[in-house]
Amino acid sequence: MAAFRTAAAVVDALPEGELERRISTRTLTDLRGIGPKTGAAIVQAHAGDVPEYLARLEEAHSELVPLADDVAEFRSTLRGDLHTHSDWSDGGSPIREMAEAAIALGHEYMALTDHSPRLTVANGLTAERLERQLDVVAALNEELHPFRILTGIECDIHVDGSLDQTDELLGRLDVVVASVHSDLRAESAAMTARMLAAVANPHTDVLGHCTGRLLIPREQREGRRQRPRPESAFDAEAVFSACVEHGTAVEINSRPERLDPPLRLLSLAVELGCSFSIDTDAHAPGQLDWQDNGCERAVETGVDVDRVVNTWTADELLDWTTG
């Protein structure tokens, strides 16, 4: 889908009449960012036809089973998503495009949580870049009202449990998702101490993808490919109990390659009384639909809707994150 978004952006930037000229002279694919497949789709769409590629997709997925009634009902209670990325870090789309996709889904808000500076592989935001992003978000919020982009960060948890951004900036953000991205094979005791320190940090609102597992390979920036990896080892009962004590929500990460935490740990978190945030960790607009995955797992493990923080209004949510 990234190739089609790129091609669409190229077409949008063409001067009046240039698209017709390119189509008539068969030079559309001479433009950087438009290949044979995307070029054919553009020509067919311009002629008023359904692109063959889209028609094949619709046929291939026409038999998809709709959400079960209880999952659909649970999904309808979600007002927003607290873990999303834009092209400011390792996402593939501008902030506005992500926000407009969230609006189309009926969301009332979206927390923008690009990566923190230590995660250079994901183009993490320095303090200076994050400050500039806050100005961009403020301007977009004026334009997109009543929808709200909540300021935020996915903050890397250092080995000592500290968070990868200044206290001053973290205090200015609406939502802080704290996640482990390094030394994932550490001994259980060390990982537990690291996570306990992060959960206890007053700036931490959500503990992101707690086990760090990857179920299937995935592509990263610049052609990097991550292999599947097992869960990190830690004392889940101690960490989830600390989440309850400090008012930190446990993320139900809906990415298909994560589905984190695993069902047995999610059931434990439910039993211990944790709050939850059902998030997509979306890096592209279409991925915002992945909340269905998290809702299925929430229903399966008996998560109470009232304990899911992104079923709350933006004002209720901000009262919680600043309380």
Side-chain angles (χ1 to χ4, degrees):
M1 287 296 112
F4 286 89
R5 287 198 303 273
T6 298
V10 171
V11 169
D12 284 344
L14 292 176
E16 186 176 354
E18 180 65 8
L19 176 59
E20 290 78 6
R21 188 186 73 80
R22 290 279 181 176
I23 291 174
S24 65
T25 59
R26 299 186 178 183
T27 58
L28 191 58
T29 54
D30 291 347
L31 294 170
R32 184 174 182 179
I34 298 181
K37 185 183 294 185
T38 53
I42 291 168
V43 170
Q44 291 160 6
H46 188 69
D49 301 323
V50 176
E52 292 177 9
Y53 181 80
L54 177 59
R56 287 198 300 271
L57 281 180
E58 289 177 341
E59 182 178 357
H61 296 287
S62 61
E63 300 301 320
L64 287 178
V65 178
L67 290 178
D69 289 345
D70 51 356
V71 176
E73 183 179 357
F74 199 112
R75 173 68 182 83
S76 70
T77 67
L78 298 185
R79 296 174 182 265
D81 192 328
L82 300 188
H83 188 169
T84 70
H85 297 273
S86 75
D87 58 3
W88 280 64
S89 65
D90 61 340
S93 298
I95 300 170
R96 175 188 285 276
E97 190 173 325
M98 295 296 291
E100 289 174 344
I103 292 169
L105 287 173
H107 285 179
E108 298 173 16
Y109 54 81
M110 172 194 85
L112 177 64
T113 55
D114 281 320
H115 287 285
S116 60
R118 185 182 185 280
L119 211 61
T120 54
V121 69
N123 194 29
L125 273 62
T126 62
E128 293 75 20
R129 291 180 65 215
L130 179 55
E131 291 218 44
R132 292 202 302 273
Q133 187 182 82
L134 296 183
D135 292 336
V136 171
V137 169
L140 282 171
N141 275 332
E142 290 189 9
E143 297 177 36
L144 298 175
H145 182 79
F147 181 82
R148 182 165 182 177
I149 304 170
L150 304 178
T151 60
I153 191 170
E154 184 182 12
C155 206
D156 205 37
I157 301 173
H158 291 149
V159 172
D160 65 359
S162 61
L163 300 185
D164 184 38
Q165 192 48 273
T166 67
D167 280 346
E168 188 275 331
L169 262 179
L170 291 175
R172 292 170 56 187
L173 300 176
D174 294 325
V175 177
V176 174
V177 177
S179 307
V180 173
H181 291 103
S182 61
D183 297 291
L184 293 166
R185 308 287 358 113
E187 293 292 330
S188 176
M191 182 63 80
T192 301
R194 179 182 185 180
M195 296 173 75
L196 288 175
V199 165
N201 189 305
H203 294 302
T204 301
D205 301 309
V206 179
L207 177 63
H209 48 70
C210 63
T211 76
R213 72 175 184 176
L214 286 180
L215 299 171
I216 55 177
R218 68 171 183 177
E219 302 297 329
Q220 285 188 298
R221 291 168 58 89
E222 301 173 358
R224 295 183 178 89
R225 184 175 174 83
Q226 280 188 310
R227 293 178 294 179
R229 63 172 176 247
E231 304 165 19
S232 295
F234 62 95
D235 184 339
E237 184 169 350
V239 170
F240 293 155
S241 295
C243 286
V244 174
E245 177 185 354
H246 296 287
T248 298
V250 174
E251 178 180 70
I252 301 177
N253 189 292
S254 303
R255 290 192 69 86
E257 74 271 26
R258 287 195 182 276
L259 299 179
D260 201 359
L263 290 176
R264 75 180 194 286
L265 294 186
L266 183 51
S267 295
L268 175 62
V270 172
E271 179 184 334
L272 292 172
C274 290
S275 297
F276 300 95
S277 179
I278 300 178
D279 302 324
T280 60
D281 194 355
H283 287 63
Q287 296 174 6
L288 291 168
D289 258 338
W290 284 346
Q291 276 184 320
D292 295 352
N293 298 333
C295 290
E296 287 181 348
R297 298 169 71 77
V299 169
E300 185 172 354
T301 53
V303 172
D304 189 326
V305 167
D306 292 337
R307 284 161 59 183
V308 178
V309 299
N310 47 329
T311 65
W312 304 344
T313 67
D315 287 341
E316 291 170 336
L317 183 69
L318 294 178
D319 284 344
W320 170 70
T321 61
T322 59

